[in-house]
Amino acid sequence: MNSALAQWQRGERGQVLWIDFERYAWRVFAGATAEWYQDPVRFAGTIGQALRVVRSDVVAIDVLAPFIAAWRAEATHEQVPVSVCALTDFLSQRPACLSFISEVADALQHSVGDRADLALKLFSPRDLLLAVGADEALASDFSALDDLGAALVELLRNLSSKAFACLQLHTLAPAGLSADEQDAYAPILRTAEYYGWITCLSFGGVHADMLPDCEAAIALYPEVAAEDLVDTAERRCGGGLTSRFWLGPDPLAGELALLHGTIPADAYPEAVAEKIRSLGR
């Protein structure tokens, strides 16, 4: 594998800039359209347009976002109950959502594949349950997490032919992943490794006072300042581009070989452009 992340892992390149910017692109470049997950050509074109400004070395595709949007739309009109059985059936019976992701992946590989890695971004089983309206009890149930983890493995299989460089498993839990979640996501990581994807765990709700370890190749802490992270050969990690960095006047705090973060959807375009320039891009 000769991706930017793989080269960085091998020590063959310097700093990697990994910015998640889909929701920002949706608001600023697509006018917050309600049809964001319906036209793959427009979606990919908008992401490519935004990348010219953001200049990230990695472009993440949130593969569950179309499914979540479709679930919420149906739940609004039909009162769809939240259960693991209903959700796993939903994931397997929405070919339009899978087709959307497949076409987006192909289009982005064609348009930006020569300047950015593609990452398959996936909510953790618990975060997916919470995103579709499940209560905390169901989202913490081991059997539910295990069954949903198996459904997500099947989703990865359906996308295995796409040119992804890595899997980005994402959680917003403030304390990272529970032991039950770790058991549930282990097959997801193994599947990604089988397909040759670099495995990354993104801890979106974690702050500097608690940095959980992970079994993935790279740990991402988008809300932890660079000065609070230590990247070593034994524990590769990235972060530093926090919400505070994007929304406030402060410059980047500290240095890190893998800078990672998410541009808030409500960030001002002029401020974002200035922040990107401050990173040397």
Side-chain angles (χ1 to χ4, degrees):
M1 182 181 293
N2 200 37
S3 66
L5 278 175
Q7 292 174 356
W8 174 75
Q9 276 190 310
R10 297 193 299 263
E12 297 172 0
R13 69 169 287 160
Q15 190 177 73
V16 170
L17 182 63
W18 180 347
I19 301 173
D20 285 345
F21 60 92
E22 183 203 314
R23 299 310 290 169
Y24 175 76
W26 163 74
R27 184 184 70 84
V28 173
F29 292 86
T33 174
E35 300 177 350
W36 183 230
Y37 297 117
Q38 296 179 24
D39 185 343
V41 174
R42 179 184 183 185
F43 182 100
T46 303
I47 293 297
Q49 181 185 7
L51 183 62
R52 296 189 185 97
V53 176
V54 175
R55 300 184 181 277
S56 176
D57 295 315
V58 182
V59 174
I61 303 174
D62 186 344
V63 301
L64 288 174
F67 292 93
I68 294 171
W71 174 281
R72 289 173 176 171
E74 290 194 15
T76 299
H77 299 291
E78 302 177 14
Q79 298 299 310
V80 178
V82 180
S83 71
V84 172
C85 182
L87 185 54
T88 54
D89 285 346
F90 190 90
L91 291 174
S92 65
Q93 296 172 5
R94 290 300 180 278
C97 295
L98 183 62
S99 177
F100 175 88
I101 292 299
S102 180
E103 291 182 45
V104 165
D106 288 341
L108 285 176
Q109 173 59 24
H110 175 74
S111 62
V112 307
D114 61 340
R115 51 196 169 105
D117 295 350
L118 295 186
L120 189 159
K121 186 175 182 179
L122 194 72
F123 270 125
S124 75
R126 175 182 180 276
D127 286 78
L128 175 56
L129 283 165
L130 293 175
V132 298
D135 58 26
E136 187 63 42
L138 179 60
S140 302
D141 180 78
F142 173 72
S143 179
L145 296 174
D146 193 52
D147 289 346
L148 192 50
L152 295 180
V153 165
E154 185 61 28
L155 180 60
L156 296 191
R157 291 194 181 112
N158 287 328
L159 295 169
S160 61
S161 64
K162 304 306 173 183
F164 291 112
C166 67
L167 167 73
Q168 179 189 5
L169 189 61
H170 183 67
T171 179
L172 292 171
L177 297 167
S178 67
D180 284 346
E181 274 198 283
Q182 292 178 39
D183 288 341
Y185 79 59
I188 298 173
L189 294 182
R190 288 197 297 269
T191 300
E193 291 169 348
Y194 175 78
Y195 293 130
W197 301 336
I198 297 170
T199 57
C200 307
L201 261 174
S202 177
F203 298 96
V206 168
H207 295 273
D209 55 345
M210 181 180 292
L211 299 179
D213 290 324
C214 74
E215 298 177 4
I218 302 172
L220 300 172
Y221 304 103
E223 289 301 326
V224 179
E227 62 186 355
D228 295 318
L229 294 171
V230 178
D231 176 49
T232 66
E234 295 75 26
R235 188 174 184 275
R236 306 311 308 267
C237 68
L241 304 182
T242 65
S243 298
R244 182 175 179 177
F245 167 76
W246 293 111
L247 298 176
D250 296 339
L252 183 68
E255 296 182 3
L256 202 62
L258 174 55
L259 289 175
H260 173 70
T262 300
I263 302 177
D266 58 349
Y268 289 106
E270 296 81 2
V272 168
E274 180 58 36
K275 291 293 186 179
I276 298 296
R277 285 192 292 270
S278 76
L279 298 174
R281 295 297 177 110

